Amino acid sequence: MSSSLFIATSGIKAYQGKLDTIANNIANVESAGYKRREAAFSENLAASIRQQPEAEKEVGRLSPDGLRVSYGSRIAATPLDLTQGAPKQTDQPFDFMIEGEGYFQVRRANGTGAEVLYTRNGAFQKSPVGPGRFQLVNSQGDVLLGRNGNPIELNENGTFTVAANGTVEGTGQQIGLVGFTNAQLLKDEGGVYRLTGGNVFMAPGDSYQIRQGFLESSNVSLNQEMTDMIKAQRGFQANSRALSYADQMMGIANGIMRT
């Protein structure tokens, strides 16, 4: 009886986690470069019940041999969906879209120094760094880095054109894109990602193109997310009813014991 309570409770927690994941996807449907996450379930501890070794006690048995009893499920991971988002034309010179593989490198200053973060959101703006000079920063103030690891710096009065390979014409600088041995180790930090393991490498030049004046839309499909939400709600309701029934059965059993 207690296993029924545990199974129903774990199911409720798992479906609540899936609903939270879907809600986060929907909230970021308009976020440039956002990659949706999908909740992946796994089984909790399972026990195998072996066949009764004494043949005389097997008479009349109808259940199959080797029963496997599960103790519910849980969310094992929420992997990133790395499919390409649709292009969105903005005609802004400091907006960039990555078509293909790779992530922008941005440097964030903190109390102890600076760290490099990664993003697919190519919406940047000017930030002055001296007389007639500026760098490109995102909405959090993180500085866009070039292939050599240094910030991209430009003249205030110069023209600004970026080639498909990321080269900033007339400056000798190139926007540096990177890849990862395991992109699933990226942790979302609100518009940027922090790598929690694995290795970083410079993205090969034939694996991407940078399109100036465009942004990559999120790869969230509202139709798919709403469908998944309805399914998850149905699962949540079913496990809630199972929990209620198990509680009622426990109450009946306790009442019989008292009488």
Side-chain angles (χ1 to χ4, degrees):
M1 190 91 57
S2 60
S3 63
S4 300
L5 292 171
F6 185 82
I7 292 170
T9 301
S10 66
I12 289 173
K13 290 181 179 179
Y15 276 111
Q16 182 61 62
K18 183 173 180 65
L19 288 169
D20 292 342
T21 301
I22 295 171
N24 189 60
N25 289 339
I26 294 175
N28 286 281
V29 68
E30 294 296 333
S31 299
Y34 177 79
K35 299 300 181 185
R36 66 182 294 273
R37 288 187 178 270
E38 177 68 33
F41 294 98
S42 68
E43 187 180 33
N44 284 331
L45 177 67
S48 295
I49 302 176
R50 299 179 60 188
Q51 182 178 354
Q52 171 59 251
E54 301 180 34
E56 66 275 10
K57 295 184 179 180
E58 284 290 304
V59 177
R61 177 178 176 138
L62 300 178
S63 59
D65 297 339
L67 290 176
R68 182 178 176 86
V69 180
S70 173
Y71 289 89
S73 61
R74 61 185 176 85
I75 290 184
T78 53
L80 284 168
D81 178 359
L82 300 176
T83 56
Q84 179 82 42
K88 179 181 179 182
Q89 187 170 359
T90 64
D91 294 325
Q92 297 297 321
F94 305 122
D95 286 347
F96 311 112
M97 171 186 170
I98 301 172
E99 193 168 42
E101 302 176 1
Y103 291 77
F104 296 109
Q105 301 178 89
V106 294
R107 188 174 65 191
R108 172 174 294 180
N110 52 41
T112 58
E115 63 177 331
V116 177
L117 303 172
Y118 310 96
T119 182
R120 292 278 297 193
N121 185 351
F124 295 97
Q125 54 197 10
K126 296 191 296 184
S127 176
V129 292
R133 302 283 293 174
F134 66 89
Q135 296 175 343
L136 296 179
V137 299
N138 62 12
S139 57
Q140 290 93 358
D142 307 325
V143 181
L144 177 64
L145 300 180
R147 193 173 182 86
N148 58 3
N150 296 323
I152 298 291
E153 289 195 10
L154 304 163
N155 291 319
E156 184 69 40
N157 299 322
T159 59
F160 181 64
T161 304
V162 176
N165 66 352
T167 300
V168 182
E169 295 186 3
T171 67
Q173 302 176 89
Q174 184 179 6
I175 297 173
L177 301 188
V178 297
F180 311 100
T181 53
N182 186 359
Q184 298 300 335
L185 296 176
L186 291 171
K187 180 182 178 182
D188 191 0
E189 296 287 345
V192 296
Y193 295 103
R194 177 179 285 108
L195 188 64
T196 59
N199 297 320
V200 183
F201 58 88
M202 299 305 299
D206 59 354
S207 66
Y208 67 87
Q209 286 187 337
I210 294 180
R211 300 178 64 180
Q212 187 176 13
F214 287 81
L215 289 175
E216 180 186 7
S217 301
S218 72
N219 61 355
V220 176
S221 168
L222 276 180
N223 291 337
Q224 182 63 46
E225 298 300 328
M226 295 304 296
T227 301
D228 290 346
M229 178 176 286
I230 292 172
K231 291 179 180 178
Q233 287 175 334
R234 294 291 184 266
F236 186 93
Q237 292 170 357
N239 280 275
S240 297
R241 287 195 295 269
L243 181 63
S244 177
Y245 295 153
D247 181 62
Q248 292 176 24
M249 292 168 63
M250 186 74 76
I252 294 171
N254 289 336
I256 293 174
M257 292 177 64
R258 285 197 297 267
T259 58

